[in-house]
């Protein structure tokens, strides 16, 4: 395999941690980065919140000193605001790489014309990409998208060509439509079609990578230049060790015991406490990770409940000490879907959004939320 080249950045292995709201903060990125190389993207933030210097947003884009490539994902719908945000990142040295989000399917984003709804407006997409690249200086700008809104409104091939024409350094495709949300099966054939259509820049594949072997199959079957990993690393930061191994041609895979998993859980919560400056906030934030870490292992319902409702590090560590440390990795059980999985009945869109795919009208100001998320 070859390194992933994003402008002047050379990433090895060709693996990207997908930005996930409330997940890919600095502590989680540290856990993943310690396992193996790649590009580790921070949580998605809105361009308006960034240019207005929202305090919460500025805290979200803090990076650890040892992060080799500081990567930030921006979400915006107004070309001018996106351009201002990218220029701010470049001029103030806030990151080494900017990714633009056109893949978020959640209603609070799409109903305002953002995320996976936006590429349907081809001219608006072009204007946003042009302003981003124009204001980025030497920073590489990439974009992540979905196939489209639904099977009747596919946009990814048009969006891929527009990205090339506007100087985007790479495109990543999640092989689902917005209406699928995270349900069903990712369409890897769409990734292959995009790779055939877009030959000038790297194409990254995303969707249903639960193990390193899934990543290898995706790259072999689609010809994509690298993979973007999202839900597959929830409770599994060592997936990046496996991804590094598979890219090196090694069959070695991480199979931690329950004791090793418990130690990782402890470290994760501790890093959160150090980052947040509040033990209570950190332990509360960590609760959502408990089920992901323990998936497939034998642990009583009462113990799981106590771990998931801990209020202090002491309580959490007390529960972790009760786990059977010698319990081996449960093969064949854990490399399965985690996180959101359900499809949606419909995609929430602004009124008249589908009337004209070339309309350049910018969505209203409410399309960029005051605080980050998605």
């Amino acid at each position: 395999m070859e390194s992933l080249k994003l402008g002047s950045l050379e990433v090895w292995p060709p693996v990207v941690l997908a930005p996930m709201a409330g997940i890919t903060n600095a502590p989680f990125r540290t856990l993943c980065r310690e396992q193996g190389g790649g590009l580790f993207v921070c949580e998605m933030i809105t361009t308006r919140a960034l240019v207005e210097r929202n305090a919460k947003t500025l805290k979200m884009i803090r990076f650890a000193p040892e992060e080799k490539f500081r990567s930030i994902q921006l979400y915006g719908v107004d070309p001018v605001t996106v351009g201002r945000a990218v220029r701010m990142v470049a001029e103030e040295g806030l990151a080494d790489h900017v990714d633009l989000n056109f893949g978020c399917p959640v209603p609070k984003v799409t109903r305002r014309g953002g995320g996976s709804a936006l590429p349907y407006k081809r001219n608006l997409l072009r204007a946003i990409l042009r302003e981003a690249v124009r204001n980025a200086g030497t920073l590489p700008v990439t974009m992540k998208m979905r196939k489209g809104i639904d099977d009747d409104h596919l946009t990814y091939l048009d969006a891929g060509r527009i990205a090339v024409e506007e100087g985007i350094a790479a495109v990543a495709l999640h092989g689902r439509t917005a209406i699928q949300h995270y349900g069903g099966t990712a369409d890897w054939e769409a990734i292959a079609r995009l790779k055939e259509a877009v030959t000038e820049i790297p194409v990254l594949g995303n969707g249903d990578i639960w193990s390193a072997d899934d990543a290898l199959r995706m790259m072999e079957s689609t010809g994509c230049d690298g993979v973007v990993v999202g839900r597959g690393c929830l409770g599994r930061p060592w997936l990046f060790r496996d991804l590094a191994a598979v890219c090196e041609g090694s069959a070695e895979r991480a199979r931690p015991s329950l004791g090793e998993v418990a130690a990782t859980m402890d470290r994760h919560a501790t890093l959160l406490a150090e980052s947040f400056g509040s033990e209570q906030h950190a332990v509360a934030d960590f609760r959502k990770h408990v089920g992901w870490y323990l998936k497939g292992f034998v642990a009583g319902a009462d113990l799981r409940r106590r771990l998931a409702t801990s209020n202090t590090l002491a309580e959490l560590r007390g529960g972790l000490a009760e786990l059977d440390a010698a319990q081996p990795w449960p093969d064949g059980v854990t490399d399965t879907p985690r996180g959101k999985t359900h499809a949606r009945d419909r995609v929430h869109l602004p009124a008249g959004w589908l009337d004209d795919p070339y309309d350049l009208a910018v969505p209203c100001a409410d399309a960029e939320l005051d605080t980050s998320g998605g």
Side-chain angles (χ1 to χ4, degrees), residues 46-49 51 76-86 131 368:
T46 67
T47 52
R48 184 159 69 93
V51 298
V77 297
D78 180 355
V80 174
T81 305
V82 171
R84 289 177 61 196
V86 174
E131 283 299 302
E368 288 226 32

Side-chain angles (χ1 to χ4, degrees), residues 93-116:
L94 301 180
D96 305 305
H97 160 250
V98 173
D99 185 56
L100 299 177
N101 182 303
F102 299 106
C104 184
V106 301
K108 72 176 181 179
V109 170
T110 61
R111 69 162 50 99
R112 295 174 170 88
S116 52

Side-chain angles (χ1 to χ4, degrees), residues 57 86 97 99 116 146 155 171 183 205 209 240 244 251 303 306 309 311 316 329 331 336 340 343 353:
T57 295
V86 174
H97 160 250
D99 185 56
S116 52
R146 287 189 172 229
T155 57
V171 293
I209 297 178
F240 288 91
L303 179 53
R306 285 189 285 116
T309 57
N311 291 304
L316 179 66
W329 176 265
D331 279 317
T336 53
K340 304 170 185 176
W353 189 253

Side-chain angles (χ1 to χ4, degrees), residues 3-19:
S3 299
L4 175 62
K5 294 181 175 60
L6 305 176
S8 61
L9 306 185
E10 188 166 339
V11 180
W12 178 260
V15 172
V16 178
L17 167 64

Side-chain angles (χ1 to χ4, degrees), residues 2 5 12-13 19 86 139 166 175 197 234 241-242 276 310 332 373:
E2 297 182 358
K5 294 181 175 60
W12 178 260
V86 174
L139 298 186
E166 296 303 328
L234 296 178
R241 190 191 325 170
D242 290 349
F276 293 170
S310 297

Side-chain angles (χ1 to χ4, degrees), residues 9 32 70 79 90 100 112 146 186 201 208 233 248 251 268 279 283 314 316 339:
L9 306 185
C32 295
R70 299 165 302 155
L100 299 177
R112 295 174 170 88
R146 287 189 172 229
I201 59 177
D208 293 349
C233 67
E248 296 283 358
H268 190 168
E279 181 176 319
V283 175
L316 179 66

Side-chain angles (χ1 to χ4, degrees), residues 325-345:
Q327 188 178 148
W329 176 265
D331 279 317
V333 177
T334 57
D335 294 337
T336 53
R338 294 179 296 285
K340 304 170 185 176
T341 58
H342 300 297
R344 297 297 176 94
D345 294 330

